[in-house]
Amino acid sequence: MCQRSLQQRPARSTGKWLQFPQLALRRRLGQLSCMSRPTVRLRSWPLSFLYYILPLGALKPLAKVGWRPTSRVALYKSIPTRLLSRAWGRLNQVDLPTWLRKPIFSLYIWTFGVNMKEAAVEDLHHYRNLGEFFRRKLKPQVRPVCDSHCVTSPADGKILHFGRVRNCEVEQVKGVTYSLETFLGPHTWTDSVPINRNDEDKSSFQDMLVSKPGNELFHCVVYLAPGDYHCFHSPTDWRVAHRRHFPGSLMSVNPGVARWIKELFCHNERVVLSGEWKHGFFSLTAVGATNVGSIRIYFDKELRTNSPRYSKGSYNDFSYVSNNNQEGIFMRKGEHLGEFNLGSTIVLLFEAPRDFTFNLKAGQKIHFGEPLGTI
């Protein structure tokens, strides 16, 4: 009996010794799961980041003992993109030495395929900093504005999606949608934009925007890449009556990320300009993105974007209709409207007759002034 018990002791101690680290790790992870959610996210963020970038699944054994990595979407959302964008914006305003301008701008031109032959000033030494280079103007003759079509592209870029708005949802990219009401915010701008005063018979938010019988709501999304011309223009003759500014995240609006994160455009900072054109409701929304904290509207000196503090889900309204200016701001087709820093997205939402047709293909490149569609 004594010999048997003596022979079994080393085996037991060896078993405990082998099981101890696994058991201790489980207890530790259990304590983490009992903590408040922000603490868990903070402590698990570095491990999750390493989990996705380390080769050969170096951290995958941790999953066997109960640890779960933060999802890629949650991990990406936790990155302080607003802070990084403000830092990038300040860096863009730092004047470069004359001898350094051509090498840096030439590298950018080569990386993103910028066509400097279209620029109003081709001499790279003229641009004192990156910000001036991003906001470079074009030669007037390189972007003729089409007169024969009622709606033209507001910017250079790629067509992500277009078509009719259905069931109060708009397609972000193919197969990924977002809520029209969440994107534009509550329908409270009617004092500035006199549409649908009789809302009793309207069954949805989408119906409230359509003011004339036989009309429907259309949308078009134009993505501005870093190498594109960063100013945007009026896509038609219309009256701008109201501005709504949504402070928010500044996640990338690259088409790959847009497929990845649902309602990306509703999360990001954006400026919604609402008004009317000859067929009814018309709106243009400038959506911010990473390193694009600055959205500028030329006629609106009060607008300030990418502020350090904001309340999630909040928005600020401003009416361009006043006692001195009952008409609001009238914009001509092709007229300069605003600018981004680096690149971003423009979303058009407008009312038009049912026979309005887009002359576009998803994914095609387009220049400002080129036709989007016609009636």
Side-chain angles (χ1 to χ4, degrees):
M1 294 289 291
C2 293
Q3 288 180 350
R4 189 178 299 171
S5 62
L6 287 172
Q7 291 174 357
Q8 291 176 351
R9 282 177 186 174
R12 287 180 182 175
S13 61
T14 303
K16 288 181 179 177
W17 183 82
L18 289 173
Q19 294 176 2
F20 175 75
Q22 187 179 22
L23 182 62
L25 187 56
R26 282 180 177 174
R27 286 176 179 170
R28 180 61 178 158
L29 290 168
Q31 291 173 2
L32 281 175
S33 64
C34 295
M35 294 180 182
S36 64
R37 196 168 184 178
T39 307
V40 177
R41 189 174 295 174
L42 180 65
R43 294 195 178 190
S44 65
W45 189 90
L47 278 179
S48 296
F49 180 74
L50 292 173
Y51 179 86
Y52 290 118
I53 67 170
L54 285 180
L56 304 176
L59 294 182
K60 287 187 178 179
L62 288 177
K64 296 180 180 179
V65 294
W67 179 76
R68 292 291 181 269
T70 306
S71 71
R72 285 183 173 88
V73 173
L75 191 64
Y76 180 64
K77 287 182 178 180
S78 67
I79 298 173
T81 51
R82 290 181 67 84
L83 179 62
L84 293 174
S85 297
R86 283 196 298 275
W88 177 256
R90 292 188 179 184
L91 181 64
N92 284 352
Q93 303 309 315
V94 176
D95 287 353
L96 298 171
T98 305
W99 61 270
L100 194 57
R101 294 174 188 176
K102 189 171 182 178
I104 289 181
F105 296 146
S106 295
L107 178 62
Y108 187 91
I109 290 168
W110 177 80
T111 303
F112 296 107
V114 179
N115 185 0
M116 284 303 293
K117 292 182 180 179
E118 297 179 338
V121 180
E122 297 184 38
D123 182 12
L124 297 180
H125 295 100
H126 169 81
Y127 303 101
R128 294 174 298 175
N129 51 56
L130 286 167
E132 287 188 1
F133 180 72
F134 294 148
R135 298 187 298 271
R136 65 192 178 277
K137 305 302 181 184
L138 298 181
K139 297 171 183 173
Q141 64 271 21
V142 300
R143 294 290 186 273
V145 178
C146 181
D147 291 328
S148 60
H149 292 70
C150 58
V151 183
T152 59
S153 176
D156 288 7
K158 179 194 289 187
I159 300 295
L160 290 190
H161 208 275
F162 60 92
R164 285 181 171 84
V165 177
R166 303 185 187 280
N167 302 320
C168 294
E169 289 194 340
V170 184
E171 286 207 65
Q172 188 167 280
V173 289
K174 188 174 181 179
V176 181
T177 63
Y178 56 92
S179 164
L180 180 64
E181 185 171 5
T182 305
F183 182 71
L184 293 178
H187 187 264
T188 57
W189 62 76
T190 49
D191 290 339
S192 302
V193 187
I195 56 176
N196 285 328
R197 295 296 182 180
N198 255 333
D199 292 338
E200 294 82 8
D201 58 339
K202 302 297 179 181
S203 59
S204 69
F205 183 86
Q206 178 178 336
D207 293 333
M208 293 182 192
L209 299 179
V210 179
S211 61
K212 298 179 180 179
N215 282 1
E216 292 193 14
L217 202 62
F218 296 83
H219 79 285
C220 183
V221 182
V222 182
Y223 167 68
L224 289 72
D228 288 326
Y229 167 61
H230 300 310
C231 296
F232 50 93
H233 299 247
S234 176
T236 191
D237 296 338
W238 64 306
R239 180 179 68 92
V240 187
H242 184 269
R243 179 253 290 165
R244 176 167 286 169
H245 172 217
F246 291 85
S249 303
L250 286 172
M251 294 180 281
S252 172
V253 292
N254 181 281
V257 178
R259 294 187 192 95
W260 193 30
I261 300 178
K262 184 177 174 60
E263 295 198 331
L264 171 63
F265 295 160
C266 297
H267 292 302
N268 271 16
E269 181 160 17
R270 59 199 183 277
V271 176
V272 182
L273 299 179
S274 302
E276 58 182 349
W277 69 320
K278 60 183 178 180
H279 298 295
F281 173 75
F282 196 96
S283 74
L284 180 149
T285 302
V287 182
T290 307
N291 298 333
V292 195
S294 174
I295 302 172
R296 183 182 172 193
I297 305 298
Y298 292 139
F299 60 75
D300 191 340
K301 305 301 181 184
E302 303 295 324
L303 178 64
R304 296 290 183 273
T305 57
N306 196 12
S307 57
R309 295 182 181 180
Y310 74 98
S311 300
K312 189 174 181 179
S314 64
Y315 59 85
N316 304 308
D317 284 337
F318 184 83
S319 175
Y320 298 121
V321 177
S322 63
N323 293 330
N324 297 329
N325 183 13
Q326 292 291 336
E327 296 298 321
I329 309 295
F330 188 77
M331 298 296 300
R332 293 286 183 185
K333 183 165 58 175
E335 188 177 351
H336 279 83
L337 183 54
E339 66 186 26
F340 292 112
N341 280 329
L342 197 58
S344 194
T345 299
I346 296 287
V347 179
L348 299 180
L349 284 158
F350 56 92
E351 175 185 357
R354 288 195 181 102
D355 58 353
F356 178 87
T357 54
F358 285 102
N359 304 318
L360 302 171
K361 293 181 180 179
Q364 78 170 69
K365 290 288 292 182
I366 197 166
H367 294 132
F368 110 76
E370 292 180 348
L372 294 178
T374 189
I375 299 171

